[in-house]
Amino acid sequence: MTNSQKWKVFFLLFTTMFLLGGIQNTKGIILEQVHHDIGLTMSQIGTLISTFQYGFLIASLLTGYFTDKKGLRFMMFIGASCMAIGLVGTSMAFTVMLFLGFYLVIGLGIGSMLVSIVTVIPTFYKERAGMMFNVANAMFGVGMIVTPLVLNMMFSHNISWRIFYIAVAVIVALILLVLTTLRLEKSGGMDMNVKDFMQLLTNPRLMLVIVYLLFYVAAEVAFLNFFPIFYSSLDIANATVAEKTATGAYVIASFAVLFTVGRFIGGFINMRLGERNTLILFSALSLVTLIISRMMVYEWIYAFMAFGFAMSVLFPTASAIGTRMTDKSGSMLGLIYVASGLGGAFAGWLVGMLSDTYGIAFGFNTLIGFVCVFLVLSWFVREAPNAAK
């Protein structure tokens, strides 16, 4: 690969991961604005989140297969095109149904781009794949940190969330432009076939890890998407809606800071404690920090930063345990993405429905239940016999 081609791959990898982290971490902040803008109910917000996750799920299932058949560049182009169309369409939607439809398209685009980008790393950086995975995840984390702050600055100047989505669509258009000039060799995609899936589904130890990840993602999605709405609903003395919106954005950004720090040092934590002990200890820490943060929501809202740190190492640790249990690592990663999509969709539906019925505070508290479930499950997860201690 020529130097110019390498720089294009660098640009695609880092820009895409930055945008994916930013979009994932700002859905709740934007939905809080959309809630007032086009009159969404809490159930409709839950449906929007579930629809986004279903799009992500469908794309995750299909991308590996079509990457094998059509090539990596083709699937990256399809994913980026879906993101651009979905972002522009969502920014122009003034009805619930239009917003819902284009939100599904964004989910399809993000799912396609994420699986494609994951495939880029081992394909083009074989000797340095581990380092590149860490750097790519760092850029994802930077996106999670920066974009809530950008949104907060925009809102403080009365700039609509619609402009934010249009600006992101412009960056995605630049990604599309770079893709048209990129020459990628035909590369193998992530192997995700039905036969391997069915074999994995019959492995109870492996399925325990999958269910653990499903509830982990449910908790993460519930927090990131519903916290800004929950916080804006609180009756805080001398705080205006705009001030609560700003604080909510800062909390999401601070959550992302320690979440990213935890991802950076997670490997050292695993080496020190062992993967299973890390899973149990940080699952318990997630529950403790979440309960304390919820109790201190009026006194010190930034306690949720600690919850972000506790959650940071769980997904990669559980994923590492799961992929080591089978020689079908590609299909296992596909199953992990399926669990992620289902967990996020389940959280959106349940929290939205309960919030509409019993109030947003009750709905938001549901994520404590999600954390309790994956804490219990962590005690039953076992590492593969050949896992490194």
Side-chain angles (χ1 to χ4, degrees):
M1 185 186 294
T2 64
N3 286 333
S4 64
Q5 294 293 300
K6 286 181 180 178
W7 279 111
K8 290 172 185 176
V9 172
F10 271 121
F11 170 82
L12 291 172
L13 177 62
F14 297 144
T15 305
T16 300
M17 291 301 287
F18 178 88
L19 289 182
L20 294 182
I23 293 172
Q24 291 280 51
N25 207 34
T26 53
K27 294 200 306 293
I29 300 171
I30 286 177
L31 286 175
E32 195 276 330
Q33 296 288 310
V34 177
H35 173 53
H36 302 291
D37 197 357
I38 62 177
L40 295 174
T41 66
M42 293 306 300
S43 290
Q44 288 172 331
I45 289 175
T47 301
L48 284 170
I49 294 166
S50 296
T51 300
F52 179 95
Q53 295 295 145
Y54 285 134
F56 179 90
L57 169 61
I58 293 167
S60 299
L61 284 170
L62 297 178
T63 298
Y65 173 80
F66 282 108
T67 299
D68 259 349
K69 299 297 181 183
K70 300 292 186 180
L72 184 57
R73 179 185 168 192
F74 174 83
M75 284 314 299
M76 291 179 71
F77 194 88
I78 292 296
S81 298
C82 286
M83 283 179 64
I85 293 168
L87 288 163
V88 172
T90 303
S91 71
M92 299 172 64
F94 287 88
T95 67
V96 174
M97 290 308 298
L98 277 176
F99 197 98
L100 190 71
F102 284 114
Y103 222 49
L104 173 64
V105 176
I106 295 176
L108 286 167
I110 285 183
S112 298
M113 285 299 288
L114 183 58
V115 176
S116 299
I117 287 299
V118 167
T119 308
V120 162
I121 295 173
T123 300
F124 298 101
Y125 302 99
K126 294 181 178 65
E127 297 81 8
R128 293 178 291 174
M131 180 192 73
M132 294 304 294
F133 269 119
N134 280 323
V135 175
N137 275 307
M139 287 304 296
F140 190 94
V142 172
M144 291 179 69
I145 296 166
V146 171
T147 46
L149 301 178
V150 171
L151 272 177
N152 185 55
M153 182 182 67
M154 289 175 57
F155 295 158
S156 68
H157 290 85
N158 296 316
I159 301 173
S160 172
W161 58 271
R162 299 177 188 274
I163 301 299
F164 174 78
Y165 271 0
I166 291 173
V168 176
V170 170
I171 299 174
V172 175
L174 183 59
I175 290 176
L176 282 167
L177 182 63
V178 173
L179 274 172
T180 61
T181 67
L182 188 66
R183 296 181 180 89
L184 295 177
E185 300 86 357
K186 185 73 180 292
S187 59
M190 188 181 297
D191 181 23
M192 292 186 274
N193 60 66
V194 175
K195 182 180 177 182
D196 287 345
F197 267 155
M198 295 310 295
Q199 289 179 358
L200 295 177
L201 293 174
T202 61
N203 185 330
R205 289 175 60 192
L206 204 151
M207 287 309 299
L208 184 64
V209 175
I210 291 299
V211 176
Y212 175 93
L213 287 167
L214 188 151
F215 279 96
Y216 163 85
V217 173
E220 183 182 305
V221 167
F223 177 78
L224 293 178
N225 287 281
F226 286 97
F227 172 79
I229 303 170
F230 160 70
Y231 189 70
S232 293
S233 72
L234 297 178
D235 184 13
I236 300 174
N238 301 319
T240 64
V241 173
E243 289 170 340
K244 288 187 287 186
T245 298
T247 301
Y250 285 132
V251 171
I252 292 293
S254 65
F255 173 96
V257 168
L258 286 194
F259 189 86
T260 303
V261 169
R263 286 284 170 91
F264 269 120
I265 66 175
F268 299 104
I269 294 171
N270 279 327
M271 285 191 294
R272 185 73 176 175
L273 300 178
E275 288 174 344
R276 181 172 181 269
N277 290 337
T278 299
L279 210 62
I280 295 172
L281 177 61
F282 277 80
S283 294
L285 187 61
S286 295
L287 181 60
V288 171
T289 54
L290 176 59
I291 292 174
I292 292 174
S293 300
R294 178 64 181 87
M295 292 172 62
M296 296 179 64
V297 71
Y298 290 100
E299 288 80 15
W300 197 58
I301 191 63
Y302 290 97
F304 280 105
M305 292 176 67
F307 178 55
F309 178 75
M311 291 277 282
S312 64
V313 301
L314 297 179
F315 189 91
T317 300
S319 299
I321 292 173
T323 52
R324 203 176 289 119
M325 288 180 180
T326 175
D327 58 353
K328 301 177 178 66
S329 58
S331 292
M332 180 60 192
L333 284 170
L335 200 53
I336 287 171
Y337 285 124
V338 171
S340 299
L342 290 175
F346 172 67
W349 167 77
L350 183 62
V351 177
M353 180 192 68
L354 292 176
S355 297
D356 238 4
T357 306
Y358 302 106
I360 180 60
F362 186 93
F364 181 76
N365 289 341
T366 306
L367 74 99
I368 296 176
F370 296 152
V371 178
C372 285
V373 172
F374 73 64
L375 171 58
V376 172
L377 292 173
S378 69
W379 284 92
F380 299 97
V381 171
R382 294 291 182 271
E383 296 180 65
N386 61 340
K389 303 297 181 188

